[in-house]
Amino acid sequence: MKGKVSILIQLLLLQYLSVVSVSQDFDFFYLVLQWPGSYCDTQQSCCYPTTGKPEADFGIHGLWPNYNDGSYPSNCDPNNPFKQSEVSDLLSNLQTNWPTLACPSSNGIQFWTHEWDKHGTCSESVLQQHDYFASALNLKQQANLLQALSNAGIQADGGSYSLSSIKDAIKQSTGFAPFIECNTDSSGNRQLYQVYLCVDTSASNFIDCPVFPSSKCPSQITFPSF
């Protein structure tokens, strides 16, 4: 009898540990927001969605599970593909706030499918498909980057701004330091391209970033119009 109890305890412990390991399969999210003007003015250029030119606002690139050492999981569940029916009530919001700029023009489904398959499936221990997209949309609204920059006098007017002033404006608004990624326009100017903010594993709250990506921007960058 004692042996059976011992085996049962071991089985329960293994079951508990497997649940814990599933619920802790990443450490935080990157919310990555992209300035469309900087995507479109490169030599590669861009294509507007079939729904028309997006608003002149930061759009969502993705909500990416990450590890504290800088690595990340990807393509975690091929058995749970993107289903448009799961986000049917979010489609208008996604078209506005998570638009595709890739060529050829499309309706965004391919973009969202890629983001869910590569990144979203790795957050399934916390978020189901609808919650994943809804959380990203809510976080983008919370960040309100364009307003944060505008409040600091930083406008998407093609002007040059200090990297530190951009970071300070976003930190002042969100409470947390962002990571800024730059790219290069068709004339060779370095410019504000993407903003990374770190989010807790519930995808609800901004947090201090455990680690930043390794790329660097110069001290002065442009903020192009769109």
Side-chain angles (χ1 to χ4, degrees):
M1 182 66 181
K2 191 178 290 186
K4 289 182 179 179
V5 171
S6 176
I7 291 170
L8 179 61
I9 290 172
Q10 289 177 30
L11 288 171
L12 289 171
L13 181 60
L14 286 171
Q15 186 176 22
Y16 169 76
L17 289 173
S18 68
V19 169
V20 168
S21 66
V22 168
S23 65
Q24 296 180 345
D25 53 5
F26 64 100
D27 298 316
F28 69 97
F29 287 102
Y30 278 132
L31 174 70
V32 185
L33 301 171
Q34 182 181 84
W35 181 245
S38 300
Y39 185 103
C40 289
D41 70 0
T42 63
Q43 289 183 346
Q44 181 179 330
S45 191
C46 72
C47 293
Y48 296 155
T50 52
T51 49
K53 182 180 178 179
E55 294 180 9
D57 192 8
F58 285 88
I60 299 169
H61 184 170
L63 184 64
W64 302 342
N66 260 75
Y67 298 124
N68 287 338
D69 64 2
S71 64
Y72 60 90
S74 65
N75 302 102
C76 295
D77 187 1
N79 296 316
N80 187 14
F82 176 82
K83 297 185 183 71
Q84 185 175 334
S85 60
E86 293 283 334
V87 295
S88 57
D89 62 316
L90 301 175
L91 283 179
S92 177
N93 200 342
L94 287 169
Q95 287 165 351
T96 299
N97 293 290
W98 201 327
T100 179
L101 291 167
C103 294
S105 295
S106 70
N107 59 8
I109 299 298
Q110 186 175 353
F111 186 20
W112 307 326
T113 297
H114 168 78
E115 290 300 312
W116 170 254
D117 290 350
K118 182 174 180 179
H119 301 287
T121 56
C122 300
S123 67
E124 286 177 345
S125 60
V126 180
L127 303 172
Q128 295 304 305
Q129 194 169 135
H130 182 276
D131 296 331
Y132 173 79
F133 287 96
S135 295
L137 291 166
N138 289 335
L139 288 163
K140 189 248 179 182
Q141 185 176 20
Q142 283 182 48
N144 200 3
L145 291 185
L146 201 60
Q147 187 63 55
L149 294 171
S150 178
N151 289 345
I154 300 168
Q155 306 286 346
D157 55 8
S160 178
Y161 298 94
S162 72
L163 180 63
S164 60
S165 68
I166 292 171
K167 289 180 177 179
D168 288 347
I170 296 171
K171 184 176 182 179
Q172 180 73 25
S173 178
T174 65
F176 298 95
F179 172 79
I180 306 298
E181 181 183 357
C182 293
N183 70 352
T184 304
D185 70 14
S186 57
S187 300
N189 299 306
R190 297 287 284 165
Q191 59 187 357
L192 173 59
Y193 173 45
Q194 296 196 130
V195 176
Y196 290 61
L197 289 163
C198 291
V199 181
D200 66 12
T201 53
S202 71
S204 303
N205 306 294
F206 295 119
I207 59 171
D208 286 318
C209 284
V211 63
F212 284 131
S214 58
S215 64
K216 291 183 178 180
C217 295
S219 59
Q220 290 284 132
I221 59 176
T222 58
F223 189 13
S225 58
F226 179 64

